[in-house]
Amino acid sequence: MTIMDRNGRLFGKISIIDVIVVLAVVVLAAALYVKTHQPETGVNVTEQYITYQVKMTNQPQYVVDALAVGDQLYDKERSTNGSLGEIIQIDVEPGTQLTSLMDGTIADVPCEDRYNIVLTVRGKGLYNEKDGYMLNRIYALGANSSRNLNTKYAWFTVGVLNVALDDQAAQ
Amino acid sequence: MERNTHPFRLRLNLFDIILLIVAVAVAGGLLWFSARSSQNDQQTPTASTVEYTVLFRRMTPGTSQLIQVGDSLVDTIKNYQLGTVLSIDIQPAVTQVLDQESKTYVDAVVEGYDDVYLTVSASCTQTDDSILVDGGYDLRVGQTTYVRGPGYMGSGPVISIERGE
């Protein structure tokens, strides 16, 4: 018995066209499985908690009042894939502003009725040496960057002070 | 030439049936996956009312008297309906200036000008991350608003938004 007969059937039973279609369906099914079970970055790693601190300077009292522990942080100007994390601590200190003085110097001088605010935020993401910290796998964040962020209730400009991995893996 | 007069008959063998079942299962899986993804992306907005305070900074002398409780406010850039004035608090305008001697920014009153605090009530839709007034105006503390009322205009930051529980 030949492998393929004159009608294109394998062992005289199965059409070669049917076999090709079966292979195509199997590839589709495999693609569906990979799409639903693998991380979007294509790297099979578990997300970790990332804790970072951002600072805003010279803010009025109403900005302090508009922030609360538990608020979620967002960036409307960039792709974030959701919340960038939850505010877990708010530190408020007397406000200052970098300014030029008449003696030719530049100094961080006090501002009456203003506050410097440091937010400690905990999000989820990945870290690798090539890309650094990637919140929600897609949002790059590093110390010394400046961002316009918002919660549901407030909008503000911050400088990023530091970013670090938490010890435990995110759920 | 002989004409084909046989009517069409769909003949499926076992192999074709298995193939059809697998193809339908894969298609169903893809539909389920895309439906689940879009469900995760969407938040259901809820209709409610929001009360917020906006500060009109440094209104020119006399113009703050034009503002009345009950005035309807409109965004001057895209004409969003921003709500109705509930209360008005007029204070001397204050700005920050640098005292070169003490090397400190201090509050200084701007003589003749007013800072006006307007408490406003507006219909809105709320999601987990935003409050939209009139279907599109993103309301947040710290954001500068440009507003007109009947016969006057003002600009300044939103300074508070009542948090819903």
Side-chain angles (χ1 to χ4, degrees):
Chain A
M1 176 186 272
T2 57
I3 294 176
M4 189 179 301
D5 67 11
R6 293 172 62 186
N7 293 324
R9 293 179 176 273
L10 292 172
F11 306 110
K13 295 180 184 299
I14 306 170
S15 163
I16 187 69
I17 301 295
D18 284 348
V19 172
I20 292 170
V21 173
V22 167
L23 288 176
V25 170
V26 168
V27 168
L28 270 177
L32 177 64
Y33 177 83
V34 169
K35 178 74 180 168
T36 53
H37 289 79
Q38 298 295 309
E40 289 179 12
T41 55
V43 182
N44 191 6
V45 290
T46 309
E47 282 191 326
Q48 286 185 283
Y49 284 117
I50 295 174
T51 300
Y52 55 98
Q53 288 187 305
V54 297
K55 182 175 185 176
M56 50 192 122
T57 59
N58 194 25
Q59 296 296 313
Q61 180 68 48
Y62 62 75
V63 174
V64 178
D65 295 340
L67 298 165
V69 170
D71 283 355
Q72 301 292 320
L73 217 55
Y74 303 91
D75 183 342
K76 292 175 70 72
E77 298 170 354
R78 291 175 167 83
S79 296
T80 62
N81 206 11
S83 165
L84 296 174
E86 178 181 327
I87 297 174
I88 58 174
Q89 188 173 322
I90 301 172
D91 296 301
V92 181
E93 54 191 34
T96 59
Q97 183 171 326
L98 207 59
T99 195
S100 306
L101 300 173
M102 286 178 70
D103 60 9
T105 60
I106 295 176
D108 204 20
V109 302
C111 302
E112 187 179 22
D113 296 331
R114 294 292 193 276
Y115 303 92
N116 293 350
I117 307 167
V118 175
L119 304 179
T120 304
V121 184
R122 194 185 207 202
K124 290 179 188 173
L126 303 175
Y127 172 78
N128 63 56
E129 288 190 359
K130 178 173 166 280
D131 298 319
Y133 295 95
M134 303 293 287
L135 286 163
N136 298 336
R137 298 175 182 262
I138 63 168
Y139 184 87
L141 193 69
N144 197 46
S145 55
S146 177
R147 296 292 163 86
N148 293 324
L149 300 180
N150 64 275
T151 65
K152 179 177 178 178
Y153 295 97
W155 179 93
F156 38 82
T157 301
V158 301
V160 180
L161 295 178
N162 53 64
V163 189
L165 281 177
D166 267 9
D167 291 337
Q168 62 186 114
Q171 299 303 308
Chain B
M1 185 185 287
E2 188 180 340
R3 294 180 64 189
N4 184 3
T5 55
H6 298 293
F8 172 76
R9 276 184 62 197
L10 182 63
R11 291 196 307 174
L12 296 175
N13 60 26
L14 178 64
F15 196 76
D16 291 335
I17 291 169
I18 293 171
L19 199 61
L20 270 175
I21 291 170
V22 173
V24 168
V26 170
L30 284 169
L31 280 174
W32 169 80
F33 178 74
S34 59
R36 193 186 64 168
S37 298
S38 61
Q39 198 173 22
N40 287 345
D41 293 344
Q42 289 175 354
Q43 298 172 19
T44 310
T46 53
S48 61
T49 302
V50 64
E51 208 169 284
Y52 64 96
T53 304
V54 61
L55 166 60
F56 285 179
R57 286 196 193 282
R58 217 179 297 179
M59 291 196 79
T60 48
T63 52
S64 61
Q65 308 304 322
L66 298 172
I67 306 171
Q68 302 294 322
V69 169
D71 285 354
S72 293
L73 301 182
V74 178
D75 162 48
T76 60
I77 297 173
K78 291 192 175 178
N79 292 324
Y80 288 112
Q81 300 292 323
L82 297 182
T84 305
V85 175
L86 294 180
S87 67
I88 307 160
D89 181 17
I90 301 172
Q91 301 286 336
V94 173
T95 191
Q96 286 229 311
V97 293
L98 179 61
D99 180 342
Q100 291 282 354
E101 282 186 13
S102 66
K103 295 180 179 175
T104 303
Y105 277 96
V106 294
D107 290 337
V109 171
V110 186
E111 292 294 339
Y113 290 80
D114 296 323
D115 281 348
V116 182
Y117 298 80
L118 302 176
T119 303
V120 181
S121 175
S123 299
C124 68
T125 51
Q126 297 201 30
T127 63
D128 289 344
D129 61 355
S130 65
I131 299 170
L132 296 180
V133 175
D134 195 19
Y137 190 90
D138 215 340
L139 192 69
R140 285 198 176 85
V141 168
Q143 224 157 259
T144 301
T145 56
Y146 300 89
V147 180
R148 71 168 182 270
Y152 58 88
M153 290 188 182
S155 65
V158 175
I159 66 164
S160 74
I161 300 172
E162 189 181 68
R163 282 181 183 249
E165 296 305 324

